[in-house]
Structures are given as C-alpha cells and as structure tokens.
C-alpha cells in the first residue's frame, strides 16, 4: 500500500511538508491508547538470533532509526512499533533554533537519495526532555543525538554538548556526539583528532558528573563524516576511542555528488541514501580493522535491503541504522530487514548476529 498509494501522494508534496505530515501522523498514532504496543507484537523481530545486549541495554534487533527523522522525539512509540531495535532522536541543541531557510530538503528519486541542509532545526533540549520524560516504559532504547547551536563558536562548543548531557541524562539511553553534519558552519572542524578527543573527554566528564543525580551513565558514541581524508578518518577514530567513547556511528551524510543523475544534485547540503552504500561500508570495514572490534560500530548510510544491512554487519558493524530508505521503501522496510537478516544469518550457518560481525573484513 505504501509504494502504490501513500508514497505517490506524499511525493507530490514538498519534501519537508511531506516529512512534517508523516511525523504528525506518527505522533497521532503514538497517542492512540495501546496501539503502539499491539503493533509491536506484530512487527517485533521474531528471531532470537537478532537480539543483543549492549551497554546493559536489550536490543531486540540490530536495526535502528537514524537521527534526523524524529528530531524532537514526538513519535517514539509509533516508530518503536515498526520493529526497530533502538531509536536515535535529535539532533538536539541547548536552545531551540529554526535551522536554515527553506527549501532545505530535496528528493532524488532516481538516485534513491535525499539532500538536506536542515541546520539542526529543533525545539531544544528542554522540550525534548519533557517529551522523553513523559514516555513511560520503553520497548526499545532511545538514544539522543546532541549538537551545538549555530551561534555558538567552536571554542565554546563543548559547553553546548555538556549542557545537553546535563539536561537529558536522566531520559537518554545513550548520547551521540554529532560533529559531522555539513549543515552547521564550522561543525566538521570539531572532527579533527585533537578537538574531537578534547570534546569527547568533556562530554564523558559531564556524564560522570551527572551520574550521582541521575543514577545512570549512558554510553557516549561519536558520529563521523564519510568525507574525511583516510589519514584524518583514522586519526579521528583513534582520538575518539582513546578518549573513551563506547561506540562509533559511521557515517553521516556526504558532500560528494559522484554518480548522481537527478537535477537536485546541484542543491547544497548533505547527501544520504543509496549513493552512500559502498562508501559507508568501506568506512565501517576500515574502522573495524583499526579498532580490532574493541568498540561497537553502528553502520548507517544507504541501507535499503537486508543484504545491505548484512554486508554492513559482516564489514564490522554491530548495529545498523536507516533513514532515507524508510522514505523510499515505507514502514514495512523494518520488518523486511529483520526477517531478511535472520534468513541470511541462518543461510551462512550463523546462530547469532554477533557471530557475523567483521567476518568479511
């Protein structure tokens, strides 16, 4: 139904208008008593070979929702009902901000891609805290992707990240430090090894400082861009791991336009979707080799099928995330990924997903 009826209607709308409409409908669905829980019974992964426990968190599936789709955490129950093993909300900043001028989200259907230059538009950390705090029991962990406000200079960026941690630690199951969006001027400079290591240490210090108040210490992950020079990528991975991150998310959107055919390729912003598939897989493999699998890697970028997710896992990803594919393929994608992964694992003689991690290195 999504591909034949709903998608054609949504794709007649401006991309951002369609996004807001979809999120609004998901928000409404989240508020229907008992519906998310009932839907989860149908969509939840049925295979125990997909279930993992990481950082003390039970994840029923290695497939998660990437940041950016539900920036303000308004539809967590409905997204959970689709069968995700975990959700990443945000990017959130200390203060609300409108983001960049519209239009700022563009479809490239024939390329299976999106370009966005949203600019961390979000309602701010106080609003997100209220939403997550009101959720009650969560069938899947909710990670919070944190960033700096546009007006905050890089030399003061650590304080913005620390403010997000202090405000949200009691409602976050993990923090993702976003230094790789191309849509906030100067942000990617924070990926440099020295700056990144210092920022991670600041964030971890804040997590530890909040431990007594919140009685929890969420793991901290770092999200890196796919456009770093190989030597710089290696240095950033080393800096993040040395500083003490619990995991890496690879990768964010790209500024590359290689191989695109749609006229929207001229739009500025970060590109996501199918054009990232090979690059993101190669980067996961490189990071896994470099770290020797010491920290979990979350593979994201161009995952449209169970085979894509399986390739990412065999390259070294413990978990995967989707965003653009959900726009093009619809809500049934999550169920298809989960069932397809279980079949692929069984075909190759694996009894659990963790056995497949890094086997194609």
């Amino acid at each position: 139904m999504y591909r034949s009826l709903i998608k054609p209607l949504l794709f007649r709308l401006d991309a951002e208008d369609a996004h807001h409409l979809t999120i609004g409908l998901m928000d409404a669905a989240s508020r229907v008593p008992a519906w998310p829980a009932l839907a989860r019974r149908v969509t939840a992964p049925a295979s125990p070979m997909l279930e993992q426990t990481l950082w003390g968190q039970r994840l029923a599936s290695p497939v998660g929702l990437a940041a950016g789709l539900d920036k303000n955490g308004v539809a967590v129950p409905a997204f959970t009902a689709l069968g995700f093993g975990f959700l990443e909300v945000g990017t959130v900043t200390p203060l609300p901000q409108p983001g960049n001028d519209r239009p700022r989200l563009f479809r490239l259907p024939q390329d299976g891609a999106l370009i966005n230059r949203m600019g961390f538009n979000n309602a701010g950390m106080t609003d997100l805290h209220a939403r997550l705090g009101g959720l009650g029991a969560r069938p899947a962990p909710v990670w919070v992707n944190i960033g700096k406000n546009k007006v905050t200079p890089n030399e003061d960026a650590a304080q913005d990240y620390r403010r997000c941690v202090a405000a949200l630690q009691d409602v976050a199951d993990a923090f993702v430090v976003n230094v790789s969006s191309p849509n906030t001027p100067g942000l990617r400079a924070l990926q440099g090894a020295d700056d990144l290591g210092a920022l991670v240490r600041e964030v971890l210090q804040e997590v530890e400082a909040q431990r007594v108040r919140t009685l929890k210490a969420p793991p901290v992950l770092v999200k890196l861009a796919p456009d770093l020079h190989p030597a710089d990528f290696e240095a950033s991975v080393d800096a993040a791991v040395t500083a003490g991150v619990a995991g890496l998310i690879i990768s964010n959107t790209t500024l590359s336009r290689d191989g695109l055919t749609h006229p929207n390729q001229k739009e500025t912003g970060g590109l996501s979707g199918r054009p990232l598939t090979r690059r993101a897989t190669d980067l996961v493999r490189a990071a896994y080799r470099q770290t020797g699998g010491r920290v979990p890697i979350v593979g994201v970028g161009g995952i449209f099928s169970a085979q894509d997710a399986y390739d990412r896992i065999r390259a070294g990803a413990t978990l995967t995330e989707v965003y653009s594919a959900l726009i093009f393929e619809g809500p049934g994608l999550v169920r298809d990924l989960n069932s397809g992964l279980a079949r692929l694992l069984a075909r190759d003689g694996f009894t659990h997903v963790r056995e497949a991690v890094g086997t194609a290195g």
Side-chain angles (χ1 to χ4, degrees):
M1 180 183 292
Y2 178 80
R3 293 183 186 179
S4 62
L5 179 62
I6 299 175
K7 179 180 173 182
L9 293 175
L10 288 175
F11 274 45
R12 290 181 183 179
L13 301 175
D14 168 80
E16 187 169 352
D17 289 341
H19 171 82
H20 289 312
L21 174 61
T22 301
I23 292 297
L25 292 173
M26 296 289 281
D27 180 18
S30 294
R31 299 171 188 273
V32 176
W35 176 84
L38 290 173
R40 179 78 177 178
R41 293 182 183 179
V42 176
T43 61
S47 175
M49 68 173 61
L50 298 181
E51 183 178 329
Q52 302 180 74
T53 299
L54 286 175
W55 312 298
Q57 302 173 19
R58 177 189 174 274
L59 295 86
S61 162
V63 179
L65 177 69
L69 198 57
D70 191 3
K71 291 177 179 291
N72 298 310
V74 301
V76 167
F79 277 117
T80 300
L82 298 183
F84 284 113
F86 63 101
L87 309 176
E88 188 179 339
V89 300
T91 299
V92 64
T93 53
L95 300 175
Q97 59 182 29
N100 297 321
D101 293 338
R102 295 184 63 171
R104 54 192 181 180
L105 180 61
F106 308 90
R107 305 183 191 94
L108 292 76
Q110 62 211 48
D111 299 308
L114 301 171
I115 291 175
N116 91 82
R117 50 173 181 264
M118 306 299 287
F120 286 176
N121 58 308
N122 74 103
M125 63 187 189
T126 302
D127 181 88
L128 182 60
H129 183 276
R131 292 184 184 280
L132 296 185
L135 285 178
R138 303 177 187 177
V142 179
W143 301 358
V144 177
N145 185 299
I146 56 177
K148 78 175 188 72
N149 281 112
K150 183 177 181 179
V151 297
T152 302
N154 277 10
E155 55 266 29
D156 297 329
Q159 296 308 308
D160 274 14
Y161 289 90
R162 293 190 73 143
R163 289 177 64 192
C164 287
V165 169
L168 294 162
Q169 181 150 317
D170 62 327
V171 295
D173 293 312
F175 287 113
V176 178
V177 176
N178 189 348
V179 288
S180 50
S181 169
N183 301 318
T184 295
L187 184 73
R188 283 190 166 188
L190 296 174
Q191 290 181 111
D194 290 342
D195 287 337
L196 181 59
L199 176 59
V200 169
R201 286 189 289 272
E202 291 263 10
V203 171
L204 289 172
Q205 287 170 10
E206 191 62 41
V207 169
E208 185 60 29
Q210 297 297 325
R211 182 200 291 264
V212 174
R213 179 181 65 85
T214 63
L215 301 178
K216 60 186 295 191
V220 174
L221 296 85
V222 165
K223 188 170 188 175
L224 295 174
D227 302 324
L228 291 166
H229 183 277
D232 293 332
F233 179 80
E234 183 176 338
S236 295
V237 168
D238 184 64
V241 173
T242 300
V245 295
L248 301 166
I249 298 185
I250 301 172
S251 66
N252 211 321
T253 57
T254 181
L255 294 175
S256 172
R257 297 296 187 264
D258 292 346
L260 298 182
T261 60
H262 194 276
N264 279 341
Q265 66 179 286
K266 69 181 185 300
E267 298 292 345
T268 59
L271 174 77
S272 61
R274 289 189 187 278
L276 261 176
T277 304
R278 178 176 294 181
R279 174 65 174 159
T281 303
D282 289 344
L283 288 173
V284 166
R285 182 177 293 108
Y288 183 79
R289 288 173 177 171
Q290 180 183 340
T291 62
R294 295 193 310 275
V295 297
I297 296 171
V298 183
V300 58
I303 294 176
F304 276 66
S305 68
Q307 186 65 55
D308 292 336
Y310 188 51
D311 290 344
R312 205 67 52 93
I313 289 167
R314 295 195 66 220
T318 300
L319 303 172
T320 62
E321 290 182 337
V322 297
Y323 179 159
S324 299
L326 201 60
I327 307 301
F328 288 100
E329 303 298 323
L333 171 72
V334 188
R335 181 194 61 242
D336 293 344
L337 292 178
N338 286 327
S339 59
L341 273 174
R343 286 195 300 270
L344 290 167
L345 289 165
R347 180 199 68 185
D348 292 345
F350 296 114
T351 61
H352 194 273
V353 65
R354 62 174 172 265
E355 298 172 1
V357 176
T359 55

